[in-house]
Amino acid sequence: MKRILITGGAGFIGSHLCERLLKEGNEVICLDNYFTGAKKNIVHLLDNPYFELVRHDITMPYFIEVDEIYNLACPASPVHYQYNPIKTIKTSVMGAINMLGLAKRVKAKILQASTSEVYGDPEIHPQPEYYWGNVNPIGPRSCYDEGKRCAETLFMDYHIQNKVNIKIVRIFNTYGPNMNPNDGRVVSNFIVQALSGEDLTIFGDGTQTRSFQYVDDLVEGMIRMMHTPDEFIGPVNLGNQNEFTMLELAENIIDLTGSSSGIIFKSLPKDDPKQRQPDTTKAKANLNNWEPKIQLREGLARTIEYFQATLLTNGRQKIRINA
């Protein structure tokens, strides 16, 4: 049994990681300040004697004895990370310093949940890990993009200078149960609009692309990355290589929900990437042939069921899912 600390453990991805690591027989300490995380995501774990929930902000130091650290704490959707951009970059930078300092003191292995946003609006497609990116350092998304880039720098410097055992993964668009319906991400936006009978809002002309990975596939990749040999530190892209336009995503969700919603178009936000697709060659080669197993329509059906069951059933008729 390992003692594992997960920062941002009550968030969308963190809650799934907590559950998975508990099932594997570990002791899990979930750290969250609930800025975007929610206690409801992990309340079903509270009866487990090997699960501990701590309310804490990682911009402040935290002291504990652990074997592994997964550093996920940071708002990840534009609506949330732009709400308080200074707080966002402090979470990425000061949070990384505090967690790396903890890992150094207790000799814990630490994994940084970085992001595909480090590539910005990419000029190389798909994006390999060696690509340095095309990021606006003073734009509306910079607090998140540059905060995560700086966190990667800190991880590398702590590894080189202080011999901290690090791992870095770059997470591409991920979706699934426990998403916040108001987080502003495209999958949750479209599902909520479809289930509510509202028109789906596409920003831009709908030709911009993303790749979408189901959360279970991401969690599997993160755990495999943590278990790689010490000399392999990454960064490694974790995402689904299947690329879809925003229009294709909207049409899939309308079809799966059986909704009568239409589609409306609005202007594209500043610095919004036109393409986003991971090159996962490195992940397949180093993570025991890891690749996403759950494809888009199956994952969307599961996610729609979650929103129906937990968020949108009050006073609304259930919609049949055309899986």
Side-chain angles (χ1 to χ4, degrees):
M1 177 182 288
K2 296 177 182 175
R3 296 194 76 209
I4 302 174
L5 173 66
I6 303 174
T7 73
F12 160 46
I13 295 171
S15 58
H16 287 273
L17 184 61
C18 285
E19 187 166 3
R20 170 71 183 273
L21 291 172
L22 281 170
K23 285 181 178 178
E24 292 186 353
N26 300 291
E27 181 178 354
V28 173
I29 300 94
C30 169
L31 205 70
D32 210 295
N33 68 351
Y34 304 126
F35 177 62
T36 57
K39 193 175 288 186
K40 69 177 180 60
N41 290 337
I42 43 81
V43 69
H44 63 291
L45 303 177
L46 292 176
D47 289 336
N48 190 314
Y50 298 109
F51 181 73
E52 183 177 351
L53 177 61
V54 180
R55 185 167 191 153
H56 185 81
D57 189 320
I58 66 165
T59 61
M60 304 297 292
Y62 183 69
F63 302 94
I64 193 172
E65 299 288 329
V66 291
D67 303 301
E68 295 176 352
I69 303 168
Y70 288 82
N71 186 38
L72 278 64
C74 188
S77 69
V79 168
H80 290 143
Y81 68 63
Q82 292 176 18
Y83 175 77
N84 187 340
I86 294 173
K87 177 69 172 179
T88 296
I89 199 164
K90 285 173 69 176
T91 301
S92 286
V93 177
M94 295 173 64
I97 291 170
N98 287 330
M99 290 302 108
L100 286 162
L102 172 61
K104 177 187 173 185
R105 284 191 298 273
V106 302
K107 294 181 170 52
K109 188 187 303 184
I110 181 169
L111 181 144
Q112 168 66 4
S114 191
T115 173
S116 61
E117 298 296 337
V118 300
Y119 300 121
D121 189 4
E123 296 174 336
I124 295 178
H125 192 75
Q127 294 79 59
E129 289 86 352
Y130 63 77
Y131 177 50
W132 291 354
N134 177 36
V135 177
N136 180 356
I138 55 172
R141 304 168 70 99
S142 306
C143 58
Y144 183 68
D145 300 2
E146 297 289 28
K148 289 289 191 176
R149 286 162 69 95
C150 184
E152 287 195 16
T153 302
L154 284 162
F155 267 68
M156 289 300 299
D157 289 343
Y158 266 77
H159 172 69
I160 293 167
Q161 183 173 329
N162 297 322
K163 310 304 178 188
V164 175
N165 191 348
I166 69 164
K167 307 287 180 182
I168 301 172
V169 296
R170 292 175 177 166
I171 300 172
F172 282 68
N173 288 59
T174 304
Y175 68 98
N178 294 355
M179 294 185 81
N180 186 324
N182 301 310
D183 67 5
R185 303 187 208 202
V186 65
V187 172
S188 52
N189 274 359
F190 284 177
I191 291 175
V192 170
Q193 288 173 331
L195 291 176
S196 303
E198 301 171 2
D199 289 339
L200 276 61
T201 305
I202 291 180
F203 294 94
D205 61 6
T207 61
Q208 67 271 35
T209 65
R210 296 291 186 272
S211 60
F212 301 98
Q213 89 179 315
Y214 191 69
V215 64
D216 289 358
D217 289 325
L218 170 63
V219 167
E220 176 67 27
M222 294 173 73
I223 293 173
R224 290 193 192 189
M225 181 63 179
M226 184 65 92
H227 294 165
T228 54
D230 292 351
E231 60 270 16
F232 181 71
I233 62 177
V236 172
N237 291 335
L238 293 180
N240 194 317
Q241 281 201 298
N242 293 334
E243 188 179 14
F244 296 88
T245 66
M246 295 298 97
L247 189 57
E248 287 173 327
L249 176 67
E251 290 169 345
N252 269 285
I253 289 174
I254 289 172
D255 180 53
L256 285 167
T257 58
S259 175
S260 59
S261 299
I263 297 173
I264 58 176
F265 298 87
K266 294 186 177 181
S267 58
L268 195 66
K270 181 177 172 59
D271 296 334
D272 194 68
K274 299 176 188 66
Q275 290 180 304
R276 188 60 60 74
Q277 181 190 20
D279 181 334
T280 58
T281 304
K282 198 172 181 180
K284 290 178 183 177
N286 293 277
L287 306 184
N288 194 23
N289 204 33
W290 174 89
E291 61 181 354
K293 304 295 185 186
I294 300 170
Q295 297 309 316
L296 185 65
R297 285 183 67 87
E298 180 186 354
L300 287 176
R302 295 184 189 183
T303 308
I304 290 165
E305 287 177 351
Y306 165 77
F307 277 109
Q308 287 181 320
T310 62
L311 300 171
L312 295 171
T313 57
N314 185 21
R316 302 176 190 270
Q317 184 178 358
K318 287 244 186 178
I319 297 175
R320 180 176 61 86
I321 297 173
N322 302 316

